Amino acid sequence: MLNNKQFDVLVELERGTPVTAKEYLRMKTSNFYAVCNELTEMECLKNFTVTKTGYELLEPYRVKRAVLLAAGTGNRMKPLTYSIVVR
């Protein structure tokens, strides 16, 4: 099981390059290297790269379904929206 800091580090390293993730997490997590060492001991990281075990721990948090809601007046489609009735 991952704690919040471990999850944040693992997600950021999975998303981008380690340098970018390190810069981002330096602001967010003061002990980036300590968390990386914990993840390395858990065999989730190897040389700042997410391992198969790391991906398996992240899998339950992956978004599998999403609903997009949109609203607005449809200004660009005004002539068409005046003539169509939605029931």
Side-chain angles (χ1 to χ4, degrees):
M1 205 61 165
L2 299 171
N3 64 31
N4 287 344
K5 289 182 180 182
Q6 291 170 340
F7 177 80
D8 289 341
V9 169
L10 202 57
V11 166
E12 289 305 317
L13 288 174
E14 190 267 334
R15 282 185 185 160
T17 62
V19 174
T20 305
K22 182 172 66 174
E23 290 170 358
Y24 171 79
L25 289 167
R26 186 172 290 144
M27 294 179 281
K28 198 171 180 182
T29 307
S30 60
N31 25 355
F32 174 79
Y33 290 108
V35 174
C36 285
N37 286 336
E38 293 171 9
L39 290 169
T40 303
E41 289 173 6
M42 294 169 58
E43 297 180 358
C44 296
L45 282 182
K46 185 174 184 179
N47 298 327
F48 296 101
T49 304
V50 181
T51 63
K52 184 178 177 183
T53 306
Y55 282 112
E56 289 171 357
L57 283 174
L58 288 176
E59 181 61 27
Y61 303 102
R62 185 171 63 92
V63 176
K64 295 178 179 89
R65 294 185 197 116
V67 175
L68 297 177
L69 301 176
T73 58
N75 290 334
R76 294 185 301 135
M77 303 286 286
K78 262 192 180 161
L80 182 63
T81 56
Y82 289 141
S83 63
I84 294 178
V85 177
V86 178
R87 295 181 190 169

